[in-house]
């Protein structure tokens, strides 16, 4: 779940569905569904081979990054079925806790992987991992970034929390 429009609406993913649901709290919670299959299938395919485990809103509010349990993070234009980028190069499955966060500029997306205890840094423009940051001695279980500063906070199963300042 992620709030948007200064808290006037929110978006969520319901497990075992093929869409994101947007709710407008200023219009009697009107719901709009947007397919996670993009516009490629013409809206006729209700199957997806993944579950969205976390949503993160870009600093400018125009994009969502969906962390999935299928080694794929998806950048979607908010309120549409337009898939902007697919981010690969990490591993997450149904037993992991995929997490993502945006840099304050929106140029990078940070994410975890179950393969190691590091942070993957994707360049959004190229969809490439540009850096892997050694982070913890245990799996990363959560991360959050500030849209106001270049601050990323990670927590881990190693029982530590780290604050990353101006790393990217």
């Amino acid at each position: 779940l992620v709030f948007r429009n200064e808290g006037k609406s929110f978006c969520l993913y319901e497990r075992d569905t093929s869409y994101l649901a947007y709710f407008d709290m200023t219009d009697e919670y009107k719901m709009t569904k947007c397919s996670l299959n993009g516009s490629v299938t013409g809206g006729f395919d209700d199957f997806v081979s993944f579950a969205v485990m976390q949503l993160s809103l870009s600093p400018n509010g125009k994009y969502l990054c969906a962390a999935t349990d299928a080694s794929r993070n998806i950048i979607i234009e908010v309120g549409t079925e337009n898939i902007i980028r697919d981010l690969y190069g990490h591993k997450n499955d149904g037993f992991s806790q995929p997490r993502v966060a945006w840099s304050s500029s929106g140029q990078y997306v940070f994410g975890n992987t179950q393969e190691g205890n590091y942070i993957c840094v994707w360049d959004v423009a190229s969809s490439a991992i540009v850096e892997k940051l050694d982070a913890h001695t245990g799996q990363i279980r959560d991360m959050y970034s500030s849209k106001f500063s270049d601050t990323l906070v990670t927590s881990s199963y190693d029982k530590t929390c780290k604050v990353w300042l101006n790393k990217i």
Side-chain angles (χ1 to χ4, degrees), residues 27-99:
D27 189 12
E28 298 181 2
Y29 297 94
K30 177 183 170 192
M31 181 177 69
T32 305
K33 293 181 182 181
C34 292
S35 173
L36 286 165
N37 289 318
S39 54
V40 177
T41 64
F44 297 110
D45 190 357
D46 286 336
F47 176 78
V48 290
S49 59
F50 56 82
V52 173
M53 305 299 284
Q54 186 208 14
L55 292 169
S56 181
L57 186 65
S58 67
N60 66 9
K62 293 181 180 181
Y63 306 100
L64 285 173
C65 187
T68 76
D69 64 353
S71 301
R72 176 185 180 200
N73 295 330
I74 307 166
I75 298 177
I76 305 162
E77 186 178 358
V78 168
T80 73
E81 297 179 351
N82 296 335
I83 295 174
I84 306 301
R85 297 279 187 273
D86 287 308
L87 306 178
Y88 295 104
H90 65 300
K91 182 177 180 182
N92 282 312
D93 64 22
F95 298 103
S96 63
Q97 280 186 285
R99 296 291 183 256

Side-chain angles (χ1 to χ4, degrees), residues 101-116:
W102 292 82
S103 67
S104 62
S105 68
Q107 183 178 353
Y108 301 101
V109 169
F110 306 104
N112 65 344
T113 178
Q114 73 183 45
E115 291 178 313

Side-chain angles (χ1 to χ4, degrees), residues 1-2 15-17 24 35 37 40 45-46 62 74 90 92 98 106 108-109 117 119 130-131 136 144-145 151 159:
L1 182 133
V2 64
R15 195 163 183 113
D16 296 326
T17 66
D24 184 347
S35 173
N37 289 318
V40 177
D45 190 357
D46 286 336
K62 293 181 180 181
I74 307 166
H90 65 300
N92 282 312
Y108 301 101
V109 169
N117 307 320
I119 300 166
V130 294
E131 192 166 353
H136 293 273
Y144 185 80
S145 62
T151 305
K159 299 181 182 176

